[in-house]
Amino acid sequence: MPALDVSELNTVVSVLGAFTVLYGLVAVKLKSVWYLGEALPAVFIGMLLGPLAAKFLDAKRWGSAAEDQEDAITLGVMRVMIGIQLVIAGYQLPAKYGKLHYKELIVCLVPIMAMMWLATSVCILGTIPKISLLAAMVIGACVTSTDPILSQAVAKGPFADKYVPRPLREIISAEAGANDGFASPFLMLAVNLLRLTENRREPLLEETTNLVERGRGVGPDTRDVGIALGNWVIETLIYIVLLATVYGAVVGYCAKIGVRFSLSRKWIDTESYLLFPTALGLFIVGTCGAIGTSDLLACFVAGCALNWDGQFLAETERRHDEVNSCIDVLLNFGGFMYLGSTLPWEQFHQPDTTGITYPRLFGLGFLVLLFRRIPSLLITYKMMPSVVKNWKEAIFMGYFGPIGVGAVYYLQHTRLLFPKEEIASSRERELLDAICPVVYFLVLFSIVVHGLSIPLLSAIYKFCNVRPITEDAVELRRRSIYVPTPPNAFTGDRDTFIAYNRFFRPLANIATLPTVRSRYHTDNSSVSIETEEEKKHSQLVDIHRVDSALRALEGPNHI
């Protein structure tokens, strides 16, 4: 006889499928008209369906429902979600971007991140009671890096297509991809110094297995500053950062050679080619987790190496890649919905124990928003003149440095670096009690504030008649009459769109559009080959149509 089976698996996949379907029906309105993206609606649905309200989604009940399994599930979800998207973000950058803009990346990863870390730590120390300076520095390191997923929405979303110059978009994307891995040195330095100052009792034999569960980057307890710093240099800078960089570069380069070899012999089909970044991300996340080095940094470096000569991205463009963007969307839906369902609401207001209250958390959120990133960009933007042209772009880049799933990843990683409650020192217990509500609230605050900032900024731009960017025109093939007009584009003819300021393909001359394959041209080669007549025909654009479209666009200037 049929029976109702409301299992956790059936509930989770039903909720994810229903949300994806409903969001998809109005996706153009949400993304291109209201500029909301995926993160904010997904987190909101997770909050509604999580343990706080409907109780449909509760990671504590999944699988065997073991004690403390939620932390392990959260860490695993964040690793896979971030790792795959970092590979995609890496290969979507221009060829040899790291080599051509190494000075700008060094500025972003060293002085800017250091100032962000210190500023955030001071804000935490000033608003959160009962924690030491070193504990504040540990928490500050968790939220120092800009979130690679939310930043990609800022760098590549519809609003950016209209108003954000390409060099600024590229550095935002590259910085967000790289600095998630480079947050490890700041975190591990604070952790090593905190462990140095603690006089913890010697653990019992049965407790030693719980002392450090994920201890790469943290050496044994010591009372010697030199030994602590030596542990940090060897285990963090060399083993975690340097090894991850080298490993990601080697894996990405070998993948590039393998793909080129298979393409030359036509052994790889379109499905396998377009899924290659996802498979590469899964492989790196697994192997780096096994050896204990930084999977996030390795994934981003591997993505950059995969497209080092620009050919991988060029081939995905020729094959009209929509696969990786779909994977991005599905990971965002699932990851942010899960994040919304795991928010520790009961820890956000504990005046009698931790001293954390909602007024303190809101005050911290606004302080972090103002002082975590904007001052450091205003101080250093003149060191990056090729990507940040003026103080307005510096403020934009400083403001849109969101805190997201990367912070949750470092939160869960940090909790595994410290001993359990029964053998932790008093300062370590204070840190472990405060880190979860502080980090989760800053993540929620950033998702809401930055998620609503783009619609608000768009309304301000329209009110002030700010004109969209009309540079680097590209002719895009229209694959269906039902495809909506892309952001910052207009209809060329029956089969094409004319788009400006695309993230992936700069052009120097508005009238020099890229060649488009003839609809009647057949060729087994993966490389587009056209006759001279076809090239001339495909490059002809009605300049009057372009001019009329330019006049129709609003406003005087961009950022």
Side-chain angles (χ1 to χ4, degrees):
M1 182 173 178
L4 187 63
D5 182 15
V6 191
S7 65
E8 295 300 319
L9 175 63
N10 292 338
T11 302
V12 170
V13 296
S14 298
V15 168
L16 178 60
F19 176 73
T20 306
V21 168
L22 295 176
Y23 184 95
L25 293 176
V26 290
V28 173
K29 283 287 186 183
L30 290 173
K31 291 182 180 180
S32 299
V33 178
W34 300 333
Y35 301 108
L36 285 178
E38 299 105 7
L40 184 58
V43 168
F44 180 71
I45 295 297
M47 291 162 52
L48 289 180
L49 301 181
L52 180 68
K55 296 182 173 60
F56 284 164
L57 305 175
D58 189 354
K60 296 178 181 178
R61 303 198 307 255
W62 295 356
S64 59
E67 186 180 359
D68 296 332
Q69 71 171 10
E70 184 178 359
D71 292 342
I73 294 174
T74 302
L75 181 61
V77 169
M78 298 302 110
R79 288 178 61 206
V80 173
M81 179 183 179
I82 301 171
I84 292 175
Q85 298 202 51
L86 283 179
V87 175
I88 296 174
Y91 90 76
Q92 288 179 342
L93 286 171
K96 300 181 181 179
Y97 188 86
K99 179 180 179 181
L100 298 175
H101 296 277
Y102 72 93
K103 294 180 180 179
E104 292 83 356
L105 287 174
I106 290 175
V107 171
C108 290
L109 298 178
V110 181
I112 289 180
M113 283 196 71
M115 286 187 281
M116 289 169 60
W117 176 43
L118 295 176
T120 306
S121 301
V122 170
C123 293
I124 294 172
L125 187 64
T127 53
I128 303 302
K130 301 181 182 180
I131 61 171
S132 64
L133 172 62
L134 289 175
M137 294 175 72
V138 172
I139 301 174
C142 292
V143 297
T144 292
S145 60
T146 56
D147 186 68
I149 297 174
L150 297 176
S151 295
Q152 300 308 315
V154 174
K156 302 174 185 177
F159 179 85
D161 285 339
K162 286 186 175 181
Y163 298 111
V164 185
R166 179 175 289 104
L168 185 60
R169 300 169 68 184
E170 291 172 348
I171 193 62
I172 290 175
S173 179
E175 180 203 17
N179 71 5
D180 240 43
F182 273 86
S184 295
F186 302 104
L187 173 64
M188 296 306 177
L189 178 59
V191 169
N192 274 285
L193 293 177
L194 179 62
R195 289 165 61 89
L196 170 71
T197 63
E198 298 307 309
N199 291 308
R200 187 187 305 108
R201 72 169 175 84
E202 291 297 322
L204 301 175
L205 180 62
E206 62 271 16
E207 296 172 337
T208 56
T209 56
N210 294 327
L211 185 57
V212 177
E213 298 177 3
R214 188 180 167 89
R216 293 293 186 187
V218 179
D221 287 346
T222 178
R223 300 294 170 262
D224 190 291
V225 176
I227 295 177
L229 293 179
N231 292 335
W232 175 69
V233 170
I234 295 173
E235 298 200 27
T236 301
L237 296 184
I238 296 178
Y239 194 86
I240 291 182
V241 176
L242 182 60
L243 178 61
T245 303
V246 173
Y247 181 73
V250 171
V251 172
Y253 180 78
C254 293
K256 177 175 75 73
I257 298 300
V259 168
R260 181 186 297 175
F261 179 83
S262 294
L263 281 175
S264 65
R265 285 158 177 77
K266 300 177 185 175
W267 288 354
I268 185 169
D269 61 4
T270 298
E271 292 80 6
S272 300
Y273 186 88
L274 298 181
L275 281 173
F276 201 84
T278 300
L280 190 63
L282 291 174
F283 172 77
I284 293 174
V285 167
T287 53
C288 286
I291 64 177
T293 191
S294 175
D295 39 15
L296 306 188
L297 183 58
C299 283
F300 179 72
V301 173
C304 295
L306 180 63
N307 188 53
W308 191 249
D309 57 2
Q311 292 304 309
F312 188 87
L313 178 60
E315 184 65 18
T316 60
E317 289 282 284
R318 287 191 286 265
R319 297 190 184 214
H320 305 294
D321 175 25
E322 299 292 346
V323 173
N324 287 291
S325 58
C326 293
I327 292 174
D328 269 351
V329 170
L330 192 59
L331 288 173
N332 289 344
F333 284 160
F336 283 105
M337 193 183 300
Y338 175 83
L339 180 62
S341 70
T342 57
L343 292 172
W345 295 98
E346 70 283 354
Q347 299 182 34
F348 289 160
H349 190 76
Q350 295 179 306
D352 298 329
T353 54
T354 62
I356 295 175
T357 60
Y358 278 110
R360 288 182 178 273
L361 290 176
F362 276 105
L364 175 61
F366 284 109
L367 287 175
V368 168
L369 184 68
L370 293 175
F371 298 110
R372 165 176 165 262
R373 187 168 163 82
I374 294 176
S376 62
L377 263 297
L378 289 175
I379 292 172
T380 59
Y381 80 91
K382 291 185 179 179
M383 302 168 65
M384 305 180 289
S386 63
V387 293
V388 184
K389 306 295 185 185
N390 51 53
W391 64 271
K392 295 180 181 179
E393 293 187 1
I395 291 178
F396 182 89
M397 183 177 175
Y399 181 83
F400 286 102
I403 302 169
V405 293
V408 178
Y409 165 87
Y410 277 110
L411 159 67
Q412 299 300 338
H413 176 77
T414 303
R415 294 176 70 178
L416 295 178
L417 295 175
F418 287 95
K420 300 297 183 181
E421 289 285 337
E422 57 270 14
I423 57 175
S425 68
S426 59
R427 289 188 179 182
E428 289 174 338
R429 284 195 294 270
E430 291 171 357
L431 166 64
L432 294 174
D433 290 339
I435 189 172
C436 188
V438 170
V439 171
Y440 267 107
F441 184 85
L442 288 177
V443 170
L444 177 61
F445 186 86
S446 179
I447 290 174
V448 173
V449 171
H450 288 106
L452 296 178
S453 294
I454 292 293
L456 178 61
L457 191 58
S458 174
I460 294 174
Y461 277 21
K462 288 183 179 179
F463 179 79
C464 297
N465 293 322
V466 176
R467 182 175 178 176
I469 297 174
T470 53
E471 300 172 357
D472 299 336
V474 175
E475 189 175 40
L476 304 178
R477 181 181 175 185
R478 185 173 190 166
R479 294 185 290 277
S480 169
I481 61 172
Y482 300 109
V483 173
T485 303
N488 202 18
F490 63 93
T491 302
D493 55 32
R494 184 172 173 270
D495 298 318
T496 61
F497 296 113
I498 307 299
Y500 299 103
N501 196 39
R502 289 186 74 228
F503 183 85
F504 303 113
R505 195 165 184 181
L507 288 174
N509 189 340
I510 190 175
T512 307
L513 300 180
T515 60
V516 179
R517 289 177 62 89
S518 168
R519 290 183 298 150
Y520 309 104
H521 183 74
T522 59
D523 185 6
N524 292 328
S525 173
S526 63
V527 181
S528 176
I529 302 174
E530 297 177 312
T531 65
E532 290 300 319
E533 289 300 320
E534 286 175 324
K535 288 183 179 180
K536 292 178 182 178
H537 177 73
S538 62
Q539 288 179 341
L540 291 178
V541 178
D542 188 348
I543 299 300
H544 297 294
R545 187 172 69 241
V546 175
D547 291 339
S548 63
L550 289 175
R551 287 192 294 269
L553 294 172
E554 298 178 322
N557 230 326
H558 48 271
I559 289 178

